[in-house]
Amino acid sequence: MSKELDGRIALVTAAAGVGIGRAIARRLAEDGAVVVLTDINEKRLTQAATEIADATGARVIPRILDAGDREQIIDVTDWVLEHVGPLSILVNNAAVNILGSIFDYDPADWDRVLAVNLSGPWMLSRQAMRQMRDAGAGGVILNVSTYAPDVGGLGIEAPYAMSKGGLNVLTRSCAHEGGPHGIRVNTLSMGMVTGTRFTDALHADMRNEEVAKAPLGRLAHVTDIVEAAAFLLSDRSAATTGEILNVAAGSHMRY
């Protein structure tokens, strides 16, 4: 049976954990794509690739990648082009959030947050868009973001918020330049997401506070994020580009 992403080659960053990246990667595999699964943890990466391949029957290729390392990005994307084919889907999911006040923030932490959250997606998009343009078949890029830029980081995560604000601008810049080549670029924005270790295990107290503020009386679940991603990455959203889609149960509207 044909699937809507048959023949597509997708690369997903930070996709070997138990959160959003892995869930999106699995959905891409279920929908028929060849998935290049990337992460910095080799053991976790190998396990995730095997589990997704076994569960879906898809071809899943693990590749070590630090999304903040430009040379690694070039090496991995060039390898994919040579050994698998040109990318048609890119999901920029990798992110780092190091909390702290701007008054005493460590410059090294600033550099790392910007490298992974903004410079990395820029370089990955540059590489992927070149492949998509040269192949002549278009493609789709999805940037995973947050509504943190709208609230300025709330005094604890300014670098993260600034990097994600820049990512949102990158989305629209790439949408403008990619459009004539059939390349669509969108942002999937969110707040806290249930069904992830970050929310359910590490920040359960904050989760309850966020639920109380959400207009829908709940937070988005990882399945909500995956459904939105599947739509934006498929031909069902063929006329959608340069958009920021908030999947946050209305939480982003309270500010």
Side-chain angles (χ1 to χ4, degrees):
M1 179 182 295
S2 178
K3 299 180 180 180
E4 66 177 346
L5 297 182
D6 277 351
R8 315 282 174 95
I9 300 171
L11 187 150
V12 185
T13 62
V18 293
I20 291 164
R22 181 167 177 169
I24 292 175
R26 174 164 176 156
R27 178 59 180 266
L28 289 168
E30 290 172 345
D31 288 343
V34 174
V35 179
V36 180
L37 203 72
T38 73
D39 202 275
I40 60 174
N41 186 308
E42 184 173 9
K43 180 179 179 180
R44 186 172 64 186
L45 178 63
T46 301
Q47 291 174 340
T50 299
E51 290 173 7
I52 294 173
D54 289 346
T56 64
R59 184 183 179 192
V60 182
I61 304 165
R63 298 294 297 180
I64 293 290
L65 176 63
D66 178 346
D69 187 317
R70 290 181 182 176
E71 293 303 319
Q72 283 191 29
I73 289 170
I74 293 170
D75 289 345
V76 168
T77 52
D78 284 353
W79 182 92
V80 173
L81 179 62
E82 180 179 356
H83 296 280
V84 187
L87 287 168
S88 48
I89 294 172
L90 169 65
V91 180
N92 282 315
N93 172 70
V96 172
N97 188 4
I98 302 172
L99 303 181
S101 167
I102 200 164
F103 288 103
D104 53 13
Y105 206 80
D106 188 330
D109 289 341
W110 166 271
D111 290 343
R112 180 60 178 167
V113 169
L114 268 291
V116 175
N117 297 6
L118 185 55
S119 295
W122 168 74
M123 180 60 77
L124 280 155
S125 297
R126 174 179 179 269
Q127 292 292 102
M129 288 176 69
R130 285 178 168 181
Q131 294 185 17
M132 295 169 182
R133 177 198 62 192
D134 294 348
V140 188
I141 297 174
L142 183 64
N143 292 321
V144 177
S145 191
T146 170
Y147 58 76
D150 298 330
V151 298
L154 295 177
I156 58 172
E157 55 179 12
Y160 175 75
M162 284 184 270
S163 70
K164 290 299 188 178
L167 184 64
N168 294 344
V169 176
L170 179 66
T171 287
R172 289 180 169 162
S173 297
C174 290
H176 275 294
E177 294 197 48
H181 304 287
I183 301 168
R184 297 187 298 107
V185 189
N186 292 291
T187 290
L188 180 55
S189 179
M190 63 203 74
M192 296 188 75
V193 178
T194 58
T196 64
R197 180 172 177 269
F198 176 87
T199 297
D200 296 345
L202 300 180
H203 298 285
D205 53 342
M206 189 185 302
R207 176 193 62 199
N208 296 333
E209 295 175 7
E210 292 295 299
V211 168
K213 299 174 184 176
L216 289 181
R218 71 176 183 93
L219 300 180
H221 187 269
V222 67
T223 55
D224 299 312
I225 303 302
V226 169
E227 286 301 317
F231 169 71
L232 291 173
L233 292 169
S234 74
D235 293 340
R236 288 175 284 138
S237 60
T240 303
T241 195
E243 293 297 327
I244 299 173
L245 176 61
N246 281 288
V247 182
S251 295
H252 63 291
M253 297 191 297
R254 71 177 187 265
Y255 297 104

